[in-house]
Amino acid sequence: DTGVSQDPRHKITKRGQNVTFRCDPISEHNRLYWYRQTLGQGPEFLTYFQNEAQLEKSRLLSDRFSAERPKGSFSTLEIQRTEQGDSAMYLCASSLVEIPSYGYTFGSGTRLTVV
Amino acid sequence: GESVGLHLPTLSVQEGDNSIINCAYSNSASDYFIWYKQESGKGPQFIIDIRSNMDKRQGQRVTVLLNKTVKHLSLQIAATQPGDSAVYFCAENINNAGNMLTFGGGTRLMVKP
């Protein structure tokens, strides 16, 4: 296992289209997180799963956003009716325990550009 | 709302010199802090962390200092190398705020050869 994998790395979509991103966490990690990062800013928390349960959601996660982790392993983040303001890097992270001493392990992200 | 922020957006240092990156936080309930390094096109990479019951923690070439009195966090990098060039973020976890990390805006470190 080489770490947290995200797919695709880059996605360009037209405004109004739906997009879906996938995250594969480190295999033994039961906690999975989604963050969004715009250029020059720090990541912003979106949502958190423990196993298959979505336990926390940020107010940033509008009704157009939905995240799932159906079997407690990989997770998907879907954005419906994309807007230009959705253009950002979407980062996934995983951990084995709550705020472990080594922090989360982040993936390399999916960069979304909405045109 | 309360947030983590950074004093300097860009820091340029000579190779071999020491670097100090600063971060201010405003939530006194924060009890855990992490420094991340992010290179272009990559996700944040854990560097070092510190809990609020400590004021200093050392790693390999890095030291984190926490001053709870003035709500200030710093990252010191000794003998800065070209490979240290990246954007550095501090992040905090607020006690009883679950698993969310709140990140600051980042400081770009540029190492001149």
Side-chain angles (χ1 to χ4, degrees), chain B residues 30-98:
Chain B
S30 296
D31 62 352
Y32 179 63
F33 303 87
I34 309 173
W35 280 101
Y36 282 95
K37 172 186 179 183
Q38 188 172 27
E39 297 172 291
S40 181
K42 296 183 179 179
Q45 176 187 359
F46 173 86
I47 301 173
I48 192 167
D49 61 353
I50 189 168
R51 296 196 177 273
S52 59
N53 60 354
M54 304 172 66
D55 54 16
K56 180 179 180 178
R57 192 166 188 218
Q58 288 185 295
Q60 186 176 13
R61 284 201 305 119
V62 294
T63 301
V64 56
L65 299 177
L66 175 62
N67 186 330
K68 293 181 286 294
T69 303
V70 295
K71 298 188 181 66
H72 184 267
L73 193 68
S74 69
L75 176 70
Q76 300 179 0
I77 304 174
T80 313
Q81 302 170 359
D84 295 326
S85 295
V87 177
Y88 289 81
F89 294 95
C90 63
E92 63 177 335
N93 176 252
I94 301 170
N95 190 26
N96 296 324

Side-chain angles (χ1 to χ4, degrees), chain A residues 10 15 31-32 38 60 62-63 73 78 80 85 90-91 98 103 105 109 112:
Chain A
H10 304 275
R15 188 175 53 187
R31 290 168 167 81
L32 185 146
T38 54
L60 295 175
S62 75
D63 292 344
S73 56
E78 180 183 18
Q80 295 182 326
Y90 289 85
L91 291 163
E98 183 171 318
T105 300
L112 173 66

Side-chain angles (χ1 to χ4, degrees), chain A residues 9 31 33 35 37 40-45 48 50 56 58 89 91 95 97-109, chain B residues 1 32 34 36 38 40-49 51 57 87 89 93 97-106 108:
Chain A
R9 289 296 309 277
R31 290 168 167 81
Y33 315 83
Y35 281 75
Q37 185 177 25
Q41 302 297 314
E44 296 174 294
F45 173 80
Y48 153 67
Q50 183 171 323
E56 293 180 40
S58 163
M89 174 79 83
L91 291 163
S95 71
V97 297
E98 183 171 318
I99 307 294
S101 60
Y102 56 87
Y104 307 155
T105 300
F106 279 90
S108 293
Chain B
Y32 179 63
I34 309 173
Y36 282 95
Q38 188 172 27
S40 181
K42 296 183 179 179
Q45 176 187 359
F46 173 86
I47 301 173
I48 192 167
D49 61 353
R51 296 196 177 273
R57 192 166 188 218
V87 177
F89 294 95
N93 176 252
N99 292 267
M100 182 180 73
L101 289 178
T102 301
F103 283 79
R108 180 174 299 280

